Amino acid sequence: MTLLKRLAIVTAAGAALFAVAIPALVNAQEAPRAGIFVGDSNHVATGEARLVERDGRWFVELGADFSLDGAPDPKVSVGGLDAGPGLILAPLERKTGAQTYALPVGFDVSSVERIWIWCERFSVPLGHADLSA
């Protein structure tokens, strides 16, 4: 996302001849992408998930309304719309409530279409949230 700054060309007499708007990066942040969890593999997963940028770093945020019915070895991951995690971030901290998980520095988030809760032990999805802008 870019912000516009004005650049004025000023004459020696101090009058502006013209002013133009030019794009400038001013520590702008991307708009969050969000989705709502649905359960997979006969599990119940609910609540909001967001992919957000803060100070040049990307994070997955699970909302205060997040809930998972439980499973062995649940992990938070990001990936495409296919049936599997692209990148496993970390073990799920808790089955309910707000949580934040950092993506690796330099990770290209342009391919992230879904946030997964994934059971690594049995290699099955527990829930997913499709992201929209």
Side-chain angles (χ1 to χ4, degrees):
M1 174 181 289
T2 60
L3 300 178
L4 294 178
K5 281 189 168 182
R6 288 220 179 264
L7 173 64
I9 305 299
V10 180
T11 66
L17 291 176
F18 62 91
V20 294
I22 59 170
L25 294 177
V26 185
N27 203 11
Q29 295 183 347
E30 296 276 338
R33 294 167 46 206
I36 301 297
F37 274 105
V38 296
D40 290 312
S41 307
N42 295 317
H43 286 274
V44 177
T46 60
E48 185 180 30
R50 296 172 12 128
L51 183 63
V52 298
E53 183 207 6
R54 288 193 301 271
D55 299 322
R57 292 284 315 265
W58 286 94
F59 298 88
V60 167
E61 292 181 347
L62 307 184
D65 60 346
F66 171 76
S67 178
L68 176 69
D69 62 351
D73 203 23
K75 303 284 174 38
V76 177
S77 65
V78 295
L81 297 177
D82 58 355
L87 173 67
I88 293 178
L89 301 176
L92 184 68
E93 293 174 6
R94 317 179 278 293
K95 293 188 295 183
T96 61
Q99 305 167 54
T100 301
Y101 301 88
L103 277 78
V105 173
F107 182 78
D108 179 12
V109 298
S110 66
S111 64
V112 175
E113 299 171 296
R114 185 175 276 178
I115 296 172
W116 295 90
I117 305 298
W118 185 261
C119 176
E120 194 167 32
R121 182 182 300 167
F122 294 107
S123 196
V124 296
L126 304 172
H128 70 272
D130 290 344
L131 301 178
S132 61

